[in-house]
């Protein structure tokens, strides 16, 4: 079985790059999936009057539809996997038409003794940049492998 | 959308207006489609029970997104959610009321921006906090 030290050797290595083309339909779908009727995400006419000058994506789009926690292939030694939590920093608005490149790397890995035996905690960090190379968001997610 | 709130209106200890959600199985499927997370635990009851849980479970990230809505419903168009974090602590099942709640823990001005920090959480019908977390918000000030 792969050791924690070997896993720690993967910290900072870029695990995955995902490119997401942001579209109005995608924003609408993400808002509907949680039942969020806020006009800022869906009503162009209304959103145009705000400081954003048009529809922006809700924070939930990043949480729902964008990569934050890909797992490096084959690196998880145990069978069961549980999402432990997440953290999102929203730096700039995301809009329809943006092309977001999300780069995820392993940020930390550690072992804990749980009720069911050894548990491995994997922390993944994702940097999301738009087509202008601006960082629009950062996210972290915890996956528990046991 | 609620009317705009300002930094000066908010006191430490103030409660965020609660958001009540009734998560259906259909909504779990919609969220799976929107997210691309097709793990069977969240829509296939037989599969879910084979892993030892009583029914399909509400996705942790769906609950995180609901906490995002709790905040954006409250802060209005001029407010900005800058950070959200939460732990997926407890299981939530479809068909139950899920309450999203929050409370202001701190307010401060930094680099000319007016920040509010809150604790936020989802709560099941037993009153247990299943997704505890924190949120950081920037609000407009009446001072300018």
């Amino acid at each position: 079985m792969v050791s924690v030290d070997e896993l720690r050797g993967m910290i900072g290595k870029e695990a995955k790059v995902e490119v997401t083309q942001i579209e109005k339909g995608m924003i609408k779908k993400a808002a509907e999936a949680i039942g969020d009727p806020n006009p800022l995400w869906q009503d162009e006419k209304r959103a145009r009057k705000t400081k954003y000058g048009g529809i922006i994506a809700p924070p939930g789009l990043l949480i729902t539809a964008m990569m934050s926690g890909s797992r490096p292939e084959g690196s998880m030694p145990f069978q069961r996997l549980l999402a432990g939590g997440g953290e999102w920093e929203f730096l700039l608005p995301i809009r329809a038409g943006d092309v977001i490149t999300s780069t995820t790397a392993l940020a930390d890995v550690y072992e804990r003794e749980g009720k069911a035996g050894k548990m491995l905690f994997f922390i993944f960090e994702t940097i999301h940049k738009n087509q202008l190379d601006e960082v629009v968001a950062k996210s972290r997610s915890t996956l528990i492998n046991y | 959308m609620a009317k705009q709130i300002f930094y000066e209106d908010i006191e430490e200890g103030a409660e965020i207006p609660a958001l009540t959600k009734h998560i259906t199985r259909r909504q779990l499927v919609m969220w799976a489609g929107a997210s691309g997370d097709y793990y069977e635990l969240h829509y296939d009851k037989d599969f879910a029970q084979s892993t030892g849980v009583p029914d399909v479970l509400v996705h942790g990230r769906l609950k995180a997104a609901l906490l995002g809505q709790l905040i954006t419903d409250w802060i209005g168009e001029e407010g900005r959610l800058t950070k959200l974090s939460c732990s997926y602590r407890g299981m939530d099942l479809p068909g139950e009321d899920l309450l999203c709640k929050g409370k202001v823990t701190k307010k401060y001005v930094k680099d000319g921006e007016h920040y509010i920090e809150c604790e936020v959480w989802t709560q099941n019908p037993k009153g247990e906090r299943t997704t505890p977390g924190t949120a950081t918000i920037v609000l407009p000030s009446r001072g300018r």
Side-chain angles (χ1 to χ4, degrees), chain A residues 34-38 41 58-60 63, chain B residues 1-2 5 15-21 62-76 81 84 98-104 118-123 131 133-135 137:
Chain A
I34 64 162
D36 181 349
N38 193 322
W41 332 134
I63 299 170
Chain B
M1 203 158 178
I5 55 166
E15 281 184 25
I16 299 172
L19 179 67
T20 305
K21 291 285 185 175
L62 196 166
K63 292 186 277 182
L66 294 177
L67 292 175
Q69 187 191 349
L70 167 77
I71 298 297
T72 52
D73 277 358
W74 178 51
I75 61 178
L81 171 62
L84 177 69
L98 190 63
L99 216 54
C100 303
K101 303 183 83 169
K103 203 178 218 180
V104 176
C118 312
E119 54 171 341
V120 291
W121 65 92
T122 63
Q123 190 172 307
T131 320
T134 59
I137 296 151

Side-chain angles (χ1 to χ4, degrees), chain B residues 39-53 56:
Chain B
Y39 188 31
E40 292 83 351
L41 181 67
H42 305 291
Y43 56 84
D44 180 340
K45 190 171 179 175
D46 291 339
F47 178 91
Q49 289 180 338
S50 78
T51 72
V53 297
V56 296

Side-chain angles (χ1 to χ4, degrees), chain A residues 33-35 63-64 84 86 88 90, chain B residues 21 27 31 61 82 84 86 88:
Chain A
I34 64 162
I63 299 170
T64 295
W88 297 268
F90 309 98
Chain B
K21 291 285 185 175
Q27 200 168 356
W31 196 86
R61 279 193 293 146
T82 61
L84 177 69
C86 61
Y88 314 135

Side-chain angles (χ1 to χ4, degrees), chain A residues 56-124:
Chain A
I56 56 166
L61 182 75
L62 192 77
I63 299 170
T64 295
M66 296 167 75
M67 209 54 230
S68 52
S70 65
R71 57 188 106 151
E73 293 301 319
S75 65
M76 298 211 168
F78 303 114
Q79 212 177 0
R80 283 178 291 181
L81 192 63
L82 194 72
E87 182 181 300
W88 297 268
E89 271 180 81
F90 309 98
L91 304 171
L92 289 172
I94 296 175
R95 299 164 183 278
D98 283 353
V99 180
I100 307 294
T101 302
S102 305
T103 306
T104 300
L106 185 64
D108 199 8
V109 56
Y110 53 89
E111 197 177 62
R112 288 277 183 278
E113 204 64 45
K115 267 182 246 159
K118 275 194 186 15
M119 301 174 98
L120 282 169
F121 287 71
F122 289 80
I123 319 291
F124 291 96

